[in-house]
């Protein structure tokens, strides 16, 4: 894997290769009408979505390069058959994942002991105890729980109790009347029936069990909050003393069951959606016992279906990947297994990955880019005329103390206690889920480790963590597939990396949700109230812009649910551009492949969102994701950037034109 360009100087294109930006543009489309189509049109025409993919773009191309390297690491580890250490974990996991003879012979056998335990439940107490055990194995029945830093005390770890327990992607699928969602809901009972049939039920019994599951999930969905409502950090922070949870759920003895979940060393928990837990209490108390057991059995098998024999894998694929996401055929087993391996022991692979493919020199280059963008943001904040001096001073302080993590962790997780062998694949996956569960629960009562990473170095993604006030930039994110760092000019790099990643993640610290956390990562009202009012008024302009966008059928983008990401996109573009203007590449103004530095900056940003997706995925994203579709992450923010008009001569009457009075004036 190659990193991008140095933050200083202007790299030259290799004469033997096409310019990566010019090669993708479609000059039959005007950048003034549809910049996304202009920037990617030729690439899209030449790169149809492979049958085993549901989206295809630069992320998949990066992952393809990574996959070849990671598969080589796996195959070498299998051959070495090490008895201990990271190579043993990798080699034995890969052996079990590829051992299709035993996987097909075993069928559902790896799950049989747990299914028998569920079938043997006699009392509500036993049922709740068994449901807690399922949680430790990665099966989130009835609710969702996790350990994270306390939003109001970032130095302490807390246990969060959230809504969950659904088989469809989210609550909207149970009630949304748009034809795509309605079709999925209509076919869900058939999938449920099919899975119960594979578990051994006759058709009539399977149909009855399917109806039980759908009825319980519909009740859970009714009590679940909508996507946009989950973005309010105050409304979703409700701290309860464990001994007082009885007032919320009289029928569930949480002190007992939280102990079974491993919740120790704390006397309180944070309940995200109290009304949801009241519904859970009622469901557990009043629903037929056999129906509750059906619900639990289905969720267990559904969670592990992809690690069982082919009938389970095929059924799960047909519903979730083919129907909901539009895939035409299954991915090859190595591709699927690698995705699972990345989830369970990705950091083990990451240690080998960065050793071979990411240098200290590259790490230093991108650390410097972060500082250049940070300084550009500081200068922009200092000039804001709508923010009061008090809020501005604290905002700048928060920005300047924001931690940057670039490339890979300084300290790796210790997986020595994880048992992986060459036995059943599903058993290895379950032990991996249990390891992660215990790893998380063991944080309770201990000091927060602010050095920890929540992504592997080989992940093509990045994140901002408000509780740590940090941005995390994995090594793989700094990759343009097929090009070495010296082949990419600064204009491209500042658009592709400084804007769409570094500036984007930094801006998350000041978006509609992140801005409510202070410089230490605590949820607190540190803004002057008039500044909050002004921020919301200006941000609402972006909400209204995106609310009007209709990517497919009659389904609009949810401007409120996607506000945080849309703000981060716009902020990243503005800040990255300010940083780019300080470079020699910008000041010299030399064209590359016929494009000015400013034009290449915007094309470089668009390169980060080079993506096509199946209609089913697009419709699913609009209902479940806080990110706008890729096209709108380009065409949406650009009309709010003055330099975009200059770079491409955008005029009134052009589709990418917005009158200044309709633009967002925030950062």
């Amino acid at each position: 894997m190659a990193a991008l360009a140095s933050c200083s100087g202007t790299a030259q294109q290799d004469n033997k290769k096409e310019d990566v930006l010019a090669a993708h543009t479609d000059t039959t489309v005007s950048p003034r009408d549809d910049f996304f189509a202009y920037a990617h049109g030729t690439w899209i025409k030449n790169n149809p979505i492979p049958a085993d993919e549901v989206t295809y773009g630069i992320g998949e191309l990066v992952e393809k390069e990574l996959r070849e390297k990671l598969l080589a690491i796996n195959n070498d580890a299998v051959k070495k058959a090490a008895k201990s250490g990271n190579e043993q974990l990798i080699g034995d996991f890969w052996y079990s994942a590829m051992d299709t003879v035993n996987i097909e012979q075993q069928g559902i056998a790896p799950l049989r002991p747990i299914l028998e335990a569920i079938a043997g439940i006699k009392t509500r107490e036993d049922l709740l105890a068994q449901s807690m055990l399922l949680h430790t194995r990665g099966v989130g029945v009835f609710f969702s729980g996790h350990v994270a830093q306390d939003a109001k005390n970032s130095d302490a770890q807390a246990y969060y109790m959230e809504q969950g327990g659904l088989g469809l992607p989210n609550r909207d699928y149970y009630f949304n009347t748009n034809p795509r969602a309605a079709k999925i809901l209509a076919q869900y009972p058939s999938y449920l029936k099919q899975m119960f049939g594979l578990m051994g039920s006759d058709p009539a019994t399977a149909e009855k069990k399917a109806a039980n599951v759908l009825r319980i999930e519909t009740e859970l969905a009714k009590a679940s909050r909508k996507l946009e409502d989950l973005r309010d950090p105050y409304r979703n922070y409700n701290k309860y003393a464990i001994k007082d949870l009885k007032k919320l759920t009289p029928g569930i003895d949480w002190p007992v069951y939280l102990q079974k979940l491993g919740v120790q060393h704390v006397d309180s928990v944070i309940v995200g959606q109290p009304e949801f837990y009241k519904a859970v209490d009622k469901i557990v108390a009043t629903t037929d016992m056999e129906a509750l057991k059906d619900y639990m059995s289905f969720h267990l098998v559904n969670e592990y279906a992809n690690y069982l024999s082919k009938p389970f894998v095929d059924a799960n694929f047909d519903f979730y990947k083919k129907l909901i996401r539009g895939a035409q055929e299954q991915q090859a087993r190595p591709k699927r297994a690698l995705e699972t391996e990345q989830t369970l022991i990705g950091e083990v692979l990451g240690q080998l990955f960065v050793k071979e493919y990411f240098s200290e020199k590259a790490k230093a280059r991108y650390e410097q880019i972060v500082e250049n963008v940070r300084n550009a943001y500081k200068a922009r904040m200092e000039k804001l005329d709508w923010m009061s001096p008090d809020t501005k001073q604290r905002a700048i302080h928060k920005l300047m103390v924001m931690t940057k993590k670039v490339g890979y962790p300084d300290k790796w997780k210790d997986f020595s206690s994880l048992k992986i062998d060459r036995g059943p694949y599903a058993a290895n996956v379950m032990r991996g889920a249990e390891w992660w569960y215990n790893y998380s629960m063991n944080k309770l009562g201990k000091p927060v480790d602010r050095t920890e990473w929540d992504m592997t170095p080989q992940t093509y993604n990045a994140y901002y963590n408000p509780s740590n006030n940090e941005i995390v930039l994995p090594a793989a994110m700094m990759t343009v597939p097929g090009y070495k760092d010296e082949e990419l000019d600064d204009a491209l790099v500042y658009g592709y990396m400084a804007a769409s990643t570094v500036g984007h993640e930094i801006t998350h610290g000041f978006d509609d949700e992140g801005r409510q956390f202070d410089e230490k990562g605590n949820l607190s009202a540190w803004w002057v109230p008039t500044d909050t009012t002004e921020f919301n008024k200006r941000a609402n302009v972006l909400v209204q812009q995106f609310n009007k966008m209709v990517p497919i059928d009659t389904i609009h983008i949810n401007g409120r649910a996607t506000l945080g990401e849309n703000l981060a996109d716009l902020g990243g573009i503005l800040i990255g551009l300010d940083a780019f203007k300080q470079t020699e590449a910008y000041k010299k103004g030399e064209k590359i492949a016929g494009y000015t530095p400013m034009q290449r900056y915007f094309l470089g940003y668009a390169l980060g969102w080079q993506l096509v997706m199946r209609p089913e995925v697009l419709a699913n994203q609009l209902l479940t994701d806080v990110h706008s579709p890729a096209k709108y992450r380009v065409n949406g923010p650009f009309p709010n950037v003055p330099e975009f008009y200059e770079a491409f001569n955008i005029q009134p009457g052009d589709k990418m034109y917005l009158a200044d009075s309709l633009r967002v004036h925030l950062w």
Side-chain angles (χ1 to χ4, degrees), residues 36 38 82 180 191 196 210 233 272 298 380 424 524 579 606 621 644:
F36 182 88
Y38 169 74
R180 293 181 185 275
Y191 171 65
F196 280 113
F298 165 72
R380 182 171 280 269
S524 64
Q621 181 174 352
F644 175 66

Side-chain angles (χ1 to χ4, degrees), residues 170-186 226 553-555 619 623:
N170 75 358
R171 59 143 345 255
D172 283 359
Y173 276 84
Y174 295 84
F175 313 114
N176 199 300
T177 57
N178 82 66
R180 293 181 185 275
K183 179 182 177 182
I184 290 165
L185 179 61
K226 294 183 178 181
D553 304 333
T554 58
I555 310 175
L623 289 179

